Amino acid sequence: MKVWDEQNRQIDAIKLARNTKSAREDAFDEIKILQVIAQKKDHPGKGLCVRMESYFNYHGHICIIFECLGLSIDDYLYEQDNNPLPMSDIQEI
C-alpha cells in the first residue's frame, strides 16, 4: 500500500505481514536480509535493490516500510486486465 509519511513528508510503501507465527517469522527473515543488503552489499543504490526504510509491529502484524518505487505488481496486473506479463516487462523488472 502507498502511505504518507507525515514525519518525512513523503510517500512510502508499506508491506503488511499477517498476524500468524509463520508470517511473522518470514517477515523477520526478510527484514534481516534487507538489512544485510543495505549495510554490506548495496552501495548507495548501485545494486538496484529496494530500500527498506523501517519496520514495526502493529498488534502482531509486522509492517515493513519501503521507498515507494511505483505501482505494485498487483496494481500493474489490474491495469493490464490481469493478462500475463509479457517477457519484456519481466526482464525490465
Side-chain angles (χ1 to χ4, degrees):
M1 293 182 287
K2 283 185 181 179
V3 294
W4 175 251
D5 182 343
E6 280 289 329
Q7 195 170 34
N8 296 322
R9 305 205 42 82
Q10 67 186 21
I11 294 175
D12 286 330
I14 188 168
K15 179 178 182 178
L16 303 169
R18 293 182 184 269
N19 185 5
T20 65
K21 182 180 178 186
S22 64
R24 280 192 304 274
E25 289 172 355
D26 291 345
F28 282 119
D29 287 343
E30 182 175 353
I31 289 165
K32 287 178 193 173
I33 291 167
L34 290 166
Q35 288 173 331
V36 168
I37 289 170
Q39 293 172 359
K40 298 182 181 179
K41 305 294 183 196
D42 187 24
H43 302 288
K46 292 184 180 179
L48 301 177
C49 295
V50 66
R51 190 176 70 242
M52 178 183 69
E53 301 287 345
S54 63
Y55 66 93
F56 59 93
N57 182 333
Y58 179 75
H59 300 284
H61 302 280
I62 304 304
C63 304
I64 307 173
I65 308 297
F66 295 96
E67 61 182 327
C68 189
L69 297 174
L71 288 177
S72 70
I73 299 241
D74 287 337
D75 291 337
Y76 178 83
L77 288 173
Y78 179 78
E79 285 186 359
Q80 304 301 317
D81 296 322
N82 291 316
N83 291 319
L85 289 172
M87 184 58 72
S88 60
D89 289 353
I90 293 170
Q91 290 169 332
E92 186 176 329
I93 293 169

